[in-house]
Amino acid sequence: RAQLRRVFAVFVPTVLFVLATQFLGIYVASFLLISGFMVFVGRIAWWKSLLTAFVFTAIMFVTFDIAFDVIMPKGPLEAAFGH
């Protein structure tokens, strides 16, 4: 029973991430997934989780969108910034 709970603790947020990517874009969905995992699964302080999620998401953006010019799923937030 405990193992099933751990599996669902990863599976459910991952499915929600895939769905959220379609509506929010890859970067907002990634930010939410990383910060959520850190807070709820890792039991890490919320401010450390938000900071880490922001830095990681910014690195992803610079790497994929700017450096490699890869087309990633965009959401309304990226559209508002003109990307």
Side-chain angles (χ1 to χ4, degrees):
R1 190 171 203 121
Q3 289 177 344
L4 185 61
R5 181 176 292 203
R6 284 194 299 260
V7 168
F8 277 108
V10 174
F11 180 73
V12 171
T14 304
V15 170
L16 293 174
F17 167 74
V18 171
L19 295 173
T21 299
Q22 302 302 314
F23 300 102
L24 301 176
I26 189 80
Y27 302 114
V28 175
S30 295
F31 176 85
L32 295 173
L33 179 74
I34 294 165
S35 60
F37 263 117
M38 290 180 74
V39 169
F40 297 112
V41 177
R43 307 276 187 227
I44 297 173
W46 65 268
W47 69 270
K48 290 179 185 178
S49 302
L50 294 178
L51 179 62
T52 303
F54 178 78
V55 169
F56 181 76
T57 305
I59 290 170
M60 279 179 39
F61 175 77
V62 169
T63 301
F64 292 111
D65 246 69
I66 296 173
F68 294 133
D69 198 25
V70 176
I71 298 172
M72 303 296 268
K74 304 290 185 197
L77 186 60
E78 290 96 343
F81 287 121
H83 290 279

